[in-house]
Amino acid sequence: MASHIVGYPRMGPKRELKFALESFWDGKSSAEELQKVAANLRTSIWKQMADTGIKYIPSNTFSYYDQVLDTTAMLGAVPPRYNWTGGEIGFDTYFSMARGNASVPAMEMTKWFDTNYHFIVPELGPDVKFSYASHKAVDEYKEAKSLGVDTVPVLIGPVTYLLLSKPAKGVEKTFPLLSLLDKILPVYKEVIAELKAAGASWIQFDEPTLVKDLESHQLEAFTKAYAELESSLSGLNVLIETYFADVPADAFRTLTALKGVSAFGFDLVRGTQTLDLIKGGFPSDKYLFAGVVDGRNIWANDLASSLSILQTLEGIVGKDKLVVSTSSSLLHTAVDLVNEPKLDQEIKSWLAFAAQKVVEVNALAKALAGQKDEAFFSANAEAQASRKSSPRVNNDAVQKAAAALKGSDHRRATNVSARLDAQQKKLNLPILPTTTIGSFPQTIELRRVRREYKAKKISEEEYVKAIKEEINKVVKIQEELDIDVLVHGEPERNDMVEYFGEQLSGFAFTANGWVQSYGSRCVKPPIIYGDVSRPKPMTVFWSTAAQSMTKRPMKGMLTGPVTILNWSFVRNDQPRFETCYQIALAIKDEVEDLEKAGITVIQIDEAALREGLPLRKSEHAFYLDWAVHSFRITNVGVQDTTQIHTHMCYSNFNDIIHSIIDMDADVITIENSRSDEKLLSVFREGVKYGAGIGPGVYDIHSPRIPSTEEIADRINKMLAVLETNILWVNPDCGLKTRKYTEVKPALQNMVAAAKQLRTQLASAKEAWKGHNIKTKIP
């Protein structure tokens, strides 16, 4: 019985690629040194899978930034602003597209389906000249082959690539991106021809958009694309891989009828209804790649349950046509439990990271082939039973408190307009108030202090002194820049979710459970294994210390319940909304303690609310109902004069704008600049927004420093669709990934732009008053 892995984490078990990338970007190492680190990681991954016994090992799932950007490079679809003149795309052009450079901004970045991974959005139009400009897929196949590993090269499928793209600047928003199919397929044919010549026998096309609600013409594009590729694919085994949800019935029919395709991969963890479609009829001559090992979470597989499913499928498709697989790429999981020697042993027995999932896939394949490892299966069954019966998982008081939430929608008693009036009387802010999102640069020295405190190399007193000094520095910088509402810079936090999870019950933490978010940015998601509660205040000490350093309003900074949920590895033994309500109650306690301590502006970030939106429209309403409700629970008890902010970033918000309004926050700061101000279009289309709103005026994920004029131009575009009295001026997101040499001039220009526009607005107001006086009828 054969086994397959959809994809594997790239960063390395201890983030080796992250450090190599950042060293290269900082000019401290060469391209050759970066490539050497990457090659070593690829070698390690391929050999690990081969040694474990995996038959179908993926290649070309490694990336220096993002696999969609890799496809853009392969197709030569470089936007003109990067001045690429043809030939093989090198690091300069590649990283300029991803990160921007001193003269031009980066391409838009958004969430990969409903994950916390981000991809670079292709910018396409009728004038794009596609050409075969990156041979990465073929080079990596050859590289693996030279090591004695025959891999399955993986490409983003042509239809998914186009459906994930957007019209380039200057191209009509209604431009039909699928009309470019005939222009990109010749490049795909060239890649396929080279892979065949190199000796590839299998090729995998990832077409995850097939799990979404597609229109008939979009489904027809799949039929057209693979019919056109059929002759080129002749002699190859072709796998179409889908993941993250059920495949709808019409998409399943389209998919299984594609010409030239040998195999279909399905997510049978998040797509359990797909099982019914397979049972209802699966092509007798095709392979089924059954994704029964979860690629998105870190819980050990229930091997007995998975084996039962596989045995049922074996009866449908036959022993020779069934392949055991992961439900999706393992990119979304941590790398290896071996690197967690300090993790609680009982909890550790419940887990499987990427390396362990590879072993699970192989164990299931061997069991189906009659070579069941009884000891391995027995240990797995014991761990499953231990988790179900462990007293540390369930807390009756928490369960009852969450159950009692039913029956109320938890809205503040006063409407937002009246609250804003009360808050303005207390805060006395200028029009176009300036603020930042929360974090300030995380310097090497700051990281050293946190690391030494965690390792008990410095005392708590020394740690508190160092963090207070950092907060004071950040406060002074903001006061010198004349920012209106300040933040303390979050120097005590390595990660916004991890920081809160460490102080909540029901969470466990890893030392090296890193997961790639985008580029070199990695996060270490907490593990929610049990019921959640807040034993004691989490941020009050630092927020009050920061407020004591300034007379300006200081934000209390919290992460919202939905974001904590969506950026954690969540328990899979109860509905996600139940866990979210538990977190909401814990954050509610913190909000009320901050208010009692004199903090008058409290930001509850919900950066990941949109990312958790289900991929199918029929499931949107239920998710948005409990997600928005969870946010409202956190702040329902505060006074009208306490201003509640929230923040969202790097997603398409336009389709959930009414749910954002329903959150009933006083102020929302929201990513806007990197997505070409797409957010503003909803207001142009007539959506009325009465709360405070700060669409980001510059992209913090690029080292580029925007000019005062550029920021002023952005603010003017906002003023064309939003009322002056509700508009805030702020960056797109937190500043932790930037350097002070970038942050200070960017913020200086931001404040200058806000002041410039205040002066212009005041002058216009005076001129208007003068005009009214002169034209007044006696």
Side-chain angles (χ1 to χ4, degrees):
M1 186 62 61
S3 52
H4 166 252
I5 305 297
V6 177
Y8 202 80
R10 309 158 181 157
M11 284 290 120
K14 298 200 175 168
R15 296 180 293 164
E16 291 87 343
L17 182 61
K18 167 191 171 67
F19 299 121
L21 281 167
E22 291 172 356
S23 177
F24 173 70
W25 292 336
D26 289 343
K28 295 175 182 175
S29 61
S30 66
E32 291 74 20
E33 288 170 303
L34 172 59
Q35 289 165 332
K36 184 177 180 181
V37 170
N40 288 339
L41 286 171
R42 288 193 296 267
T43 298
S44 171
I45 291 165
W46 290 328
K47 291 206 170 231
Q48 176 201 352
M49 287 195 234
D51 291 346
T52 304
I54 301 298
K55 181 174 181 181
Y56 299 115
I57 297 170
S59 61
N60 199 41
T61 58
F62 181 88
S63 178
Y64 286 103
Y65 208 92
D66 156 53
Q67 72 268 26
V68 180
L69 182 62
D70 292 349
T71 310
T72 294
M74 181 186 86
L75 295 169
V78 181
R81 65 181 177 275
Y82 299 108
N83 297 319
W84 176 63
T85 55
E88 188 81 3
I89 289 174
F91 280 158
D92 282 352
T93 300
Y94 181 85
F95 288 129
S96 290
M97 289 192 286
R99 305 176 71 237
N101 57 44
S103 57
V104 290
M107 295 168 70
E108 180 184 351
M109 181 167 68
T110 196
K111 297 289 173 74
W112 176 247
F113 293 81
D114 60 346
T115 75
N116 186 32
Y117 179 75
H118 302 65
F119 72 96
I120 303 297
V121 182
E123 302 173 12
L124 305 178
D127 299 327
V128 176
K129 307 295 182 193
F130 296 100
S131 63
Y132 188 12
S134 170
H135 293 66
K136 176 178 172 295
V138 178
D139 291 344
E140 286 188 18
Y141 173 79
K142 289 178 178 177
E143 182 185 336
K145 196 170 184 183
S146 72
L147 297 168
V149 182
D150 190 23
T151 60
V152 178
V154 179
L155 301 175
I156 297 288
V159 183
T160 286
Y161 177 78
L162 292 176
L163 291 176
L164 293 176
S165 302
K166 70 173 186 177
K169 206 163 191 175
V171 175
E172 286 292 327
K173 298 301 179 190
T174 55
F175 174 72
L177 291 160
L178 287 175
S179 67
L180 298 173
L181 196 57
D182 289 336
K183 293 186 177 182
I184 68 170
L185 288 178
V187 179
Y188 274 88
K189 288 179 181 178
E190 288 187 71
V191 179
I192 292 163
E194 283 198 7
L195 287 169
K196 284 170 75 173
S201 57
W202 278 84
I203 187 169
Q204 174 179 320
F205 291 98
D206 281 6
E207 294 280 15
T209 50
L210 278 162
V211 306
K212 301 185 84 172
D213 298 306
L214 299 179
E215 297 175 14
S216 57
H217 76 280
Q218 293 171 320
L219 289 173
E220 286 164 10
F222 287 94
T223 303
K224 176 183 175 181
Y226 288 94
E228 178 64 27
L229 291 174
E230 184 180 12
S231 59
S232 298
L233 292 168
S234 176
L236 281 172
N237 288 297
V238 178
L239 164 64
I240 306 291
E241 187 65 56
T242 68
Y243 36 79
F244 298 151
D246 285 299
V247 175
D250 52 354
F252 182 83
R253 287 190 294 271
T254 298
L255 174 62
T256 52
L258 292 179
K259 293 183 177 179
V261 176
S262 325
F264 310 103
F266 299 106
D267 182 338
L268 300 181
V269 176
R270 289 179 173 239
T272 52
Q273 293 174 31
T274 304
L275 274 171
D276 295 330
L277 295 173
I278 295 168
K279 290 172 185 176
F282 189 82
S284 59
D285 58 338
K286 307 293 184 185
Y287 289 88
L288 171 61
F289 281 58
V292 293
V293 172
D294 193 351
R296 293 270 304 264
N297 217 327
I298 43 66
W299 302 107
N301 189 270
D302 184 338
L303 295 177
S305 175
S306 293
L307 186 58
S308 175
I309 292 168
L310 290 165
Q311 287 166 337
T312 299
L313 293 172
E314 187 180 55
I316 298 167
V317 303
K319 188 182 287 287
D320 295 338
K321 297 293 184 182
L322 182 63
V323 178
V324 182
S325 184
T326 53
S327 65
S328 68
S329 172
L330 298 176
L331 174 69
H332 311 289
T333 65
V335 179
D336 196 342
L337 270 174
V338 167
N339 298 312
E340 304 300 334
K342 295 181 181 178
L343 190 60
D344 179 276
Q345 286 303 305
E346 182 183 32
I347 293 174
K348 193 172 181 179
S349 74
W350 303 341
L351 307 178
F353 289 179
Q356 287 69 48
K357 288 176 185 292
V358 170
V359 174
E360 289 179 338
V361 166
N362 189 59
L364 286 165
K366 289 176 74 175
L368 268 180
Q371 302 167 41
K372 185 177 179 183
D373 185 334
E374 295 292 351
F376 188 71
F377 270 72
S378 177
N380 175 266
E382 286 177 20
Q384 298 291 325
S386 158
R387 187 175 164 215
K388 285 176 184 173
S389 62
S390 175
R392 66 203 304 181
V393 170
N394 300 306
N395 182 322
D396 288 342
V398 172
Q399 295 268 355
K400 285 174 185 172
L405 294 170
K406 292 170 185 172
S408 170
D409 63 0
H410 296 89
R411 292 182 187 275
R412 292 168 78 179
T414 312
N415 69 44
V416 69
S417 178
R419 297 198 309 263
L420 288 173
D421 287 343
Q423 292 155 14
Q424 179 58 15
K425 284 173 186 170
K426 188 167 188 174
L427 298 171
N428 193 30
L429 297 171
I431 60 167
L432 307 181
T434 54
T435 191
T436 64
I437 304 306
S439 61
F440 262 63
Q442 300 266 312
T443 62
I444 293 171
E445 174 62 18
L446 182 56
R447 293 179 192 277
R448 181 193 64 77
V449 167
R450 284 202 305 262
R451 191 167 57 248
E452 289 186 354
Y453 177 60
K454 209 163 191 177
K456 298 183 178 174
K457 291 181 179 177
I458 61 173
S459 68
E460 183 171 358
E461 186 180 350
E462 290 171 304
Y463 172 72
V464 169
K465 182 174 180 284
I467 296 298
K468 281 187 173 179
E469 285 173 357
E470 182 70 19
I471 292 172
N472 194 45
K473 179 180 87 173
V474 169
V475 168
K476 282 185 175 172
I477 287 170
Q478 292 172 92
E479 287 185 330
E480 286 165 8
L481 291 167
D482 205 15
I483 290 172
D484 300 303
V485 176
L486 310 190
V487 297
H488 76 292
E490 304 176 6
E492 79 283 15
R493 309 176 193 182
N494 179 58
D495 176 86
M496 60 190 281
V497 174
E498 183 181 9
Y499 175 79
F500 289 98
E502 283 178 337
Q503 300 181 78
L504 294 168
S505 63
F507 282 74
F509 295 87
T510 63
N512 291 291
W514 297 100
V515 178
Q516 184 183 16
S517 179
Y518 62 86
S520 68
R521 170 85 170 125
C522 297
V523 293
K524 197 165 49 164
I527 297 164
I528 305 177
Y529 67 83
D531 290 332
V532 178
S533 62
R534 187 198 71 147
K536 62 182 181 181
M538 302 179 285
T539 64
V540 175
F541 175 80
W542 296 117
S543 291
T544 52
Q547 184 64 80
S548 72
M549 298 172 188
T550 182
K551 292 181 179 177
R552 301 185 186 214
M554 174 65 64
K555 288 188 202 173
M557 299 299 306
L558 305 176
T559 303
V562 185
T563 296
I564 290 176
L565 184 89
N566 285 335
W567 285 357
S568 298
F569 290 125
V570 183
R571 57 189 293 190
N572 58 0
D573 59 344
Q574 71 177 16
R576 287 173 71 86
F577 71 85
E578 289 186 14
T579 303
C580 198
Y581 284 155
Q582 293 176 5
I583 303 168
L585 286 171
I587 300 300
K588 179 177 185 287
D589 290 343
E590 188 71 13
V591 168
E592 291 171 5
D593 279 348
L594 281 168
E595 184 183 57
K596 285 173 194 167
I599 303 300
T600 56
V601 181
I602 302 171
Q603 182 169 308
I604 308 165
D605 285 346
E606 283 296 13
L609 189 141
R610 173 60 175 79
E611 119 186 1
L613 192 70
L615 300 176
R616 306 287 285 281
K617 289 176 184 173
S618 61
E619 299 169 17
H620 285 190
F622 178 67
Y623 167 78
L624 289 169
D625 179 66
W626 64 254
V628 169
H629 186 191
S630 295
F631 177 82
R632 289 201 306 264
I633 287 166
T634 65
N635 59 88
V636 67
V638 300
Q639 300 171 31
D640 288 354
T641 50
T642 297
Q643 190 167 84
I644 298 297
H645 288 226
T646 190
H647 169 66
M648 295 183 174
C649 57
Y650 297 105
S651 286
N652 181 8
F653 303 107
N654 295 27
D655 55 349
I656 64 162
I657 190 66
H658 294 289
S659 294
I660 291 173
I661 294 169
D662 199 37
M663 290 169 73
D664 199 28
D666 297 312
V667 178
I668 180 170
T669 51
I670 194 163
E671 183 273 325
N672 172 66
S673 63
R674 185 156 181 172
S675 57
D676 292 333
E677 296 154 352
K678 187 163 48 180
L679 171 71
L680 299 185
S681 65
V682 299
F683 303 114
R684 293 190 192 103
E685 291 160 9
V687 171
K688 298 297 180 189
Y689 195 80
I693 183 168
V697 296
Y698 77 91
D699 174 24
I700 63 85
H701 288 93
S702 169
R704 183 174 166 273
I705 298 163
S707 66
T708 299
E709 293 71 28
E710 180 184 332
I711 294 174
D713 180 59
R714 281 221 164 96
I715 299 170
N716 269 319
K717 288 178 182 175
M718 297 170 193
L719 287 169
V721 292
L722 293 165
E723 296 293 330
T724 308
N725 64 333
I726 65 169
L727 187 62
W728 285 64
V729 177
N730 48 262
D732 263 350
C733 203
L735 305 169
K736 71 185 295 181
T737 60
R738 301 268 56 88
K739 299 179 179 129
Y740 274 105
T741 52
E742 299 157 352
V743 165
K744 285 182 182 178
L747 290 179
Q748 188 172 35
N749 292 346
M750 183 187 84
V751 173
K755 288 182 175 180
Q756 178 183 308
L757 284 162
R758 285 174 198 159
T759 302
Q760 291 174 8
L761 289 166
S763 299
K765 189 175 181 181
E766 285 302 313
W768 179 249
K769 280 165 71 177
H771 170 78
N772 277 353
I773 290 167
K774 287 176 187 173
T775 57
K776 193 173 181 182
I777 298 171

